[in-house]
Amino acid sequence: MKQVKWILGLVLVSFWACDPKEDPVPNPTADVVKDAIYKSMEEWYFWNNELPAAPDASKFDSNEAYLDAITFKPLDRFSYLTTQEAFNNSFVGRNAGHGFGFAFDSEEKLFLSFVFSEAPAGKDGWQRGWEIIGINGKSIPEYKTASGGYDFKLGTSDPGISNTFTFKLPDGSTTTRTNVKAEYQSNSVLHQEILEVGAKKVGYWVYQSFKATAGLSPTSSNEVKSSMEFFQAGGINELIIDLRYNGGGSVAVAEQIMNNLIQAANSNKLMYTNKLNSLKTSLQTTENFKKIGTLNLSRVIFITSRGSASASELVINSLDPYMDLVLIGDNTFGKPVGSFPLSRYNRTLVENNVELVPITFATANSQGKAEYFDGFPADFAVGDSPQFNWGDSRDLRFAAALQYIQNGTVSGRMANTYYRPKWEMIDAFKGLQQEFPAY
């Protein structure tokens, strides 16, 4: 995000230094850390005028409880705390675990919803659409809790932990696999292909998170670059972007994608305006489109869900004044605000390895639209069908997108199959970048 990089540049010039022998012993739960959280929020929090008086830090058992007490309800569902290392790693795709997500269908059957190709699960050949019928010798219903949820007891994300899964494959056969958690680099592009639909060449792009490639300057994604070059070489004239499992990520990567999608005629026009709080209005900036590549699309069809959030919504909002956009699936989450980390502005947070990531800005498109806390409504409500792999015409949302390209509408029969799978009920998005749980 260019405005954040610029702010960081200002800070680094005058960043403090100290003798290593004088470095304090970190104590992340100390009251002084809570005080540092409040002072940082006073300065940078988007809703700083709504902060209550500073609470007595000694009355809170954790920093998280303290932060929750001062955030602006109900709009702020996102501000959070983490460590500096964890925050930095989240934007370049470093993870540890098995490397898959799962979703229930309408009959409460459990399926792999996505698999990262370089994760242990991906290397073992797991695929979206495999039904999970057993975990560690127990059937799925045995993991149901008294509250109606599920606790599969897969352990922490630490490398070396193993779990055994029994799958029913699409051909009806079963297989049992023991998989060991490990560190891996997650891929953002889960699937890409070009189809011929009548006389049209249609690109289909399943994009799971806006993650940058480590080491690139300026911040960007090699995966995005490769995908856009693939679609350009294929001569597509329609594009379906599947964001159903995309909870957000890097704003810089979102800009990279939009600069590929925007028409050349709209290059240099306003992409979005970045709004900060009343103390930081002098740092507010605008971002203009800068056309990349040769794609020339008049519309984009997005597959969305209640989990399509943050940077996903930024792309939709920013492109809307310039292109015909069609949303198929479910309403998006509703996160017109974003974050950048504040530890670099506060010595106490740095010394105690506490990363504060509150809401610090909102984005408005070229028409001034910035209030979409209820999400963007789907033009056609269609349910998810995780029992089918990417690009399978039986996948309801993908099939609906193809039907729209062919007929300019989606049949009522297809729309009436809509339901909201359990994973779409998750209402726990925090921070600029969140993903559906990958285990």
Side-chain angles (χ1 to χ4, degrees), residues 65-194:
Y66 184 84
L67 179 64
D68 183 67
I70 62 175
T71 52
F72 181 49
K73 308 293 191 308
L75 292 185
D76 188 359
R77 300 167 283 168
F78 316 106
S79 296
Y80 70 104
L81 292 159
T82 183
T83 65
Q84 289 138 37
E85 180 182 16
F87 178 85
N88 291 332
N89 286 343
S90 70
F91 283 89
V92 293
R94 293 303 303 174
N95 299 276
H98 296 300
F100 70 90
F102 58 68
F104 287 90
D105 72 357
S106 58
E107 298 177 353
E108 287 205 60
K109 293 180 179 179
L110 185 64
F111 293 88
L112 296 178
S113 54
F114 61 86
V115 181
F116 294 121
S117 60
E118 294 302 310
K123 290 181 177 180
D124 194 35
W126 300 14
Q127 296 287 323
R128 170 179 167 86
W130 288 15
E131 183 184 356
I132 307 172
I133 58 175
I135 299 176
N136 294 326
K138 294 183 178 180
S139 67
I140 300 307
E142 290 180 83
Y143 287 100
K144 197 164 188 176
T145 65
S147 62
Y150 290 83
D151 180 3
F152 297 114
K153 303 184 185 302
L154 298 178
T156 66
S157 60
D158 296 320
I161 294 175
S162 66
N163 289 287
T164 300
F165 301 83
T166 300
F167 298 103
K168 183 178 180 181
L169 305 184
D171 64 5
S173 64
T174 61
T175 182
T176 297
R177 309 284 183 91
T178 296
N179 197 263
V180 181
K181 295 183 180 182
E183 291 188 353
Y184 63 91
Q185 183 80 24
S186 62
N187 51 294
S188 294
V189 178
L190 299 180
H191 180 78
Q192 64 182 32
E193 66 175 306
I194 297 174

Side-chain angles (χ1 to χ4, degrees), residues 121-336:
K123 290 181 177 180
D124 194 35
W126 300 14
Q127 296 287 323
R128 170 179 167 86
W130 288 15
E131 183 184 356
I132 307 172
I133 58 175
I135 299 176
N136 294 326
K138 294 183 178 180
S139 67
I140 300 307
E142 290 180 83
Y143 287 100
K144 197 164 188 176
T145 65
S147 62
Y150 290 83
D151 180 3
F152 297 114
K153 303 184 185 302
L154 298 178
T156 66
S157 60
D158 296 320
I161 294 175
S162 66
N163 289 287
T164 300
F165 301 83
T166 300
F167 298 103
K168 183 178 180 181
L169 305 184
D171 64 5
S173 64
T174 61
T175 182
T176 297
R177 309 284 183 91
T178 296
N179 197 263
V180 181
K181 295 183 180 182
E183 291 188 353
Y184 63 91
Q185 183 80 24
S186 62
N187 51 294
S188 294
V189 178
L190 299 180
H191 180 78
Q192 64 182 32
E193 66 175 306
I194 297 174
L195 310 93
E196 292 190 3
V197 180
K200 296 181 178 179
K201 287 189 175 181
V202 179
Y204 177 45
W205 195 45
V206 183
Y207 193 64
Q208 195 265 342
S209 60
F210 295 80
K211 287 182 179 176
T213 300
L216 292 186
S217 181
T219 302
S220 61
S221 165
N222 279 336
E223 284 190 85
V224 169
K225 182 176 183 292
S226 295
S227 288
M228 294 302 161
E229 290 174 349
F230 169 75
F231 291 128
Q232 285 175 195
I236 66 167
N237 42 40
E238 294 274 5
L239 181 60
I240 302 166
I241 300 181
D242 196 329
L243 300 175
R244 74 180 83 182
Y245 301 142
N246 193 318
S250 166
V251 172
V253 176
E255 291 173 3
Q256 179 187 3
I257 292 169
M258 289 189 282
N259 283 327
N260 276 276
L261 298 179
I262 197 67
Q263 308 93 333
N266 288 318
S267 189
N268 298 317
K269 293 184 180 179
L270 180 62
M271 181 185 289
Y272 67 85
T273 300
N274 181 62
K275 296 183 177 181
L276 283 78
N277 69 30
S278 58
L279 299 176
K280 303 296 182 180
T281 54
S282 63
L283 300 180
Q284 292 180 170
T285 60
T286 59
E287 184 67 28
N288 290 343
F289 289 104
K290 301 176 183 66
K291 177 61 180 174
I292 299 172
T294 59
L295 287 180
N296 185 28
L297 304 171
S298 60
R299 72 177 176 192
V300 176
I301 297 173
F302 288 98
I303 294 176
T304 57
S305 74
R306 289 296 292 169
S308 303
S310 194
S312 290
E313 294 171 307
L314 173 64
V315 169
I316 293 169
N317 194 42
S318 299
L319 289 176
D320 186 55
Y322 303 100
M323 306 180 77
D324 179 17
L325 304 184
V326 179
L327 273 59
I328 291 174
D330 198 358
N331 300 354
T332 65
F333 183 68
K335 188 174 185 287

